[in-house]
Amino acid sequence: MAKIVCVLYDDPAAGYPSAYARDDVPTIEGYPDGQTAPAPKAIDFTPGALLGSVSGELGLRGFLESAGHTLVVLSDKGTALDRELPDADVVISQPFWPAYLTAERIANAPKLKLAITAGIGSDHVDLDAAIAHGMTVAEVTYSNSISVAEHVVMMILGLVRNYLPSHQVVLDGGWNIADCVARAYDLEGMHVGTVAAGRIGTAVLRRLAPFDVKLHYTDRHRLPESVERELGLTFHPSAAELVPHCDVVTINAPLHPETEGLFGDELLATMKRGTYLINTARAKIADRDAIVRALESGQLAGYAGDVWYPQPAPGDHPWRTMPHHGMTPHISGSTLSAQARYAAGTREILEAWLGGTPIRDEYLIVNNGQLTGAGAHAYSTRAASSTRV
């Protein structure tokens, strides 16, 4: 029998919900690329419920315990997790509350065979160490990609239209229109670029096209000519070649050795003065202090995102108090709608692994000692990166 350790964020401060704002969520059966939505043999939860917090348990307890497995659910990612790792077979966590599986932790977990990301983005797992350890790493690919893309569009509009400060004027009882519009612009006609055009980046481009903007992108894998023509895209071979042309830049790339620290002082200096930067990918793609400096100098007109390092961010993190920001906790991919999909996908992965059947290729990041599936497309290892230099 297996021991599954599930690391989830805490319940709401007022307690686990007894009712919700809506009675249901739409059923999504498939995604734009033809991939089908998660399809476990059964689920033990109500779609639209809060599943990503401790009491929600990703809807897994009944399924696992009825088969004789042990499920441990905790929110402490520190010493409590360390105590559970030595005899754990599986670790599950979410990008929004990542259980950082470092090389040291993996070495201290001799039985660990599977790391599951309930959602997308597995950079909290040391992939080189996972490969060396013979682990499988999987995530619920595409389960919350559209959720994140919607969040990106919201944040772009929030910054460009100066929404958050204007809303604060209302909360403060004011009505000074000049204060509100002194930093407000139309998105129409602007040049908007995405760094990476995978599932999220392409979804962002498609959602922005009706705003009559000029669209740009860069990616290791160029999109089909038909898509470029349909959306009027301009391709750039690198982020360095893309950003000088853009009024808005959105980062939609995975974190790996080739992207870590990409948006530092040097790259930011090449951007147009007054560019807006959106980062719902991973915080370490941007240099924390360089972002603050760019906002304070006016090189950036605004920065928004929901990814921090570490997560949760400490109270004195400078992104909490820097000017002209629209930061949120890491929530873009954890709507109640998305939770129904990534909880179902987590169960689908567990059903396959516990039953000895193959995990969907599109869910795999690391398997059989190498990057594979979605991982081979999106990630690089330290060893692979060093050979390119």
Side-chain angles (χ1 to χ4, degrees):
M1 295 294 101
K3 176 181 173 180
I4 295 93
V5 178
C6 194
V7 186
L8 303 176
Y9 48 78
D10 291 315
D11 287 345
Y16 193 73
S18 59
Y20 295 90
R22 291 181 51 82
D23 295 328
D24 60 8
V25 294
T27 299
I28 305 299
E29 297 181 349
Y31 307 121
D33 69 348
Q35 179 182 321
T36 57
K41 295 175 182 176
I43 58 172
D44 298 325
F45 60 81
T46 301
L50 178 59
L51 301 168
S53 70
V54 169
S55 292
E57 301 181 324
L58 294 177
L60 293 174
R61 187 169 297 280
F63 157 62
L64 291 171
E65 291 186 346
S66 66
H69 305 294
T70 300
L71 176 65
V72 177
V73 179
L74 47 85
S75 64
D76 184 347
K77 303 186 295 178
T79 55
L81 175 59
D82 288 329
R83 285 195 299 267
E84 300 292 346
L85 283 175
D87 61 345
D89 297 284
V90 181
V91 172
I92 304 169
S93 74
Q94 302 164 94
F96 333 106
W97 192 259
Y100 294 105
L101 291 181
T102 61
E104 180 181 8
R105 276 182 159 166
I106 291 172
N108 291 331
K111 295 182 63 181
L112 188 59
K113 303 176 185 70
L114 175 64
I116 301 175
T117 301
I120 55 176
S122 297
D123 52 273
H124 56 280
V125 180
D126 187 313
L127 298 182
D128 288 85
I131 289 171
H133 194 71
M135 289 171 52
T136 296
V137 181
E139 61 183 49
V140 192
T141 306
Y142 227 145
S143 61
N144 54 357
S145 298
I146 302 305
S147 312
V148 177
E150 290 183 1
H151 202 85
V152 170
V153 174
M154 176 187 72
M155 286 186 152
I156 291 173
L157 289 169
L159 288 182
V160 173
R161 298 304 296 262
N162 203 39
Y163 170 72
L164 291 174
S166 301
H167 179 57
Q168 190 63 47
V169 168
V170 172
L171 296 178
D172 294 341
W175 195 268
N176 192 317
I177 292 174
D179 284 340
C180 296
V181 303
R183 294 185 65 87
Y185 298 87
D186 291 342
L187 183 60
E188 181 184 19
M190 286 190 173
H191 289 254
V192 182
T194 176
V195 176
R199 295 174 179 87
I200 295 172
T202 300
V204 170
L205 293 170
R206 289 193 177 280
R207 281 153 181 75
L208 288 174
F211 285 87
D212 293 326
V213 293
K214 311 295 192 302
L215 294 173
H216 303 251
Y217 82 100
T218 184
D219 196 282
R220 293 195 301 182
H221 309 279
R222 188 162 181 173
L223 293 171
E225 183 181 351
S226 59
V227 175
E228 291 186 347
R229 187 168 56 250
E230 174 194 355
L231 299 177
L233 305 180
T234 299
F235 173 74
H236 302 268
S238 68
E241 294 170 83
L242 175 141
V243 298
H245 300 279
C246 295
D247 304 289
V248 179
V249 174
T250 169
I251 305 170
N252 299 294
L255 174 65
H256 52 78
E258 294 176 31
T259 59
E260 185 170 349
L262 178 63
F263 280 81
D265 288 312
E266 183 177 348
L267 186 62
L268 292 169
T270 69
M271 300 170 77
K272 295 170 63 174
R273 190 187 75 84
T275 298
Y276 303 91
L277 182 59
I278 314 295
N279 183 7
T280 56
R282 289 296 180 264
K284 291 179 76 174
I285 296 175
D287 180 302
R288 185 194 71 176
D289 296 330
I291 294 298
V292 177
R293 288 190 289 269
L295 288 168
E296 290 176 343
S297 71
Q299 179 64 12
L300 287 179
Y303 181 90
D306 68 336
V307 286
W308 309 67
Y309 186 81
Q311 293 189 161
D316 62 353
H317 195 294
W319 286 3
R320 293 182 182 269
T321 54
M322 63 188 179
H324 312 305
H325 81 78
M327 296 298 298
T328 61
H330 195 169
I331 60 171
S332 64
S334 198
T335 61
L336 296 181
S337 308
Q339 288 181 40
R341 294 189 293 276
Y342 68 65
T346 300
R347 174 157 173 170
E348 181 185 342
I349 292 168
L350 285 170
E351 287 176 349
W353 186 78
L354 292 169
T357 60
I359 297 169
R360 280 203 220 189
D361 190 61
E362 58 259 38
Y363 289 169
L364 290 171
I365 303 300
V366 166
N367 198 36
N368 296 324
Q370 61 184 355
L371 292 172
T372 188
H377 181 88
Y379 289 91
S380 63
T381 61
R382 288 189 294 274
S385 296
S386 65
T387 63
R388 293 191 181 106
V389 175

